[in-house]
Amino acid sequence: MLFVTIITYAMLIATAFFGVIGWLQPRKTMEMLKLQTVGGHTDGLSEVRGASGALFIAIAVAAMIWGGVATAMVGIAYAGAGLGRITAIIADKAGSQTTWIFFAVEVTFAVFLIWAGLFAGA
């Protein structure tokens, strides 16, 4: 089970790291995701800092503290992101290499973290 714990923590640390980038580097995140602010308004930066940044830090840290169901909930968050991503790939014809890579990461993290949190005791 040590291997499962190591992989779980690696995924949670990666999740927090992704969050730090979104939180502290929203413009870089928006550039990578091909998003932009409109008409000089910075609401998009706020959205990225919150929904793509600090939120991921908070859920990753909570899972590292409480484990179990909290870890599974991080996996469920990734499953939701994956559902949104595959919807965009199909409905919006947004199947770029980047979106497929993000989808693969989301599905991988979702499956592993849900399993680890609910069944492997991570």
Side-chain angles (χ1 to χ4, degrees), residues 30-105:
M30 291 176 78
E31 179 184 321
M32 193 166 80
L33 298 173
K34 297 176 183 75
L35 301 172
Q36 61 184 348
T37 56
V38 177
H41 297 280
T42 58
D43 295 356
L45 295 173
S46 172
E47 184 65 21
V48 170
R49 285 185 194 273
S52 297
L55 174 70
F56 279 86
I57 297 167
I59 64 173
V61 170
M64 285 187 257
I65 293 169
W66 291 305
V69 174
T71 299
M73 286 304 300
V74 176
I76 291 167
Y78 274 110
L83 176 61
R85 185 97 44 208
I86 196 66
T87 302
I89 288 169
I90 294 167
D92 305 330
K93 299 186 183 1
S96 70
Q97 181 178 7
T98 301
T99 56
W100 279 110
I101 290 169
F102 286 175
F103 177 71
V105 169

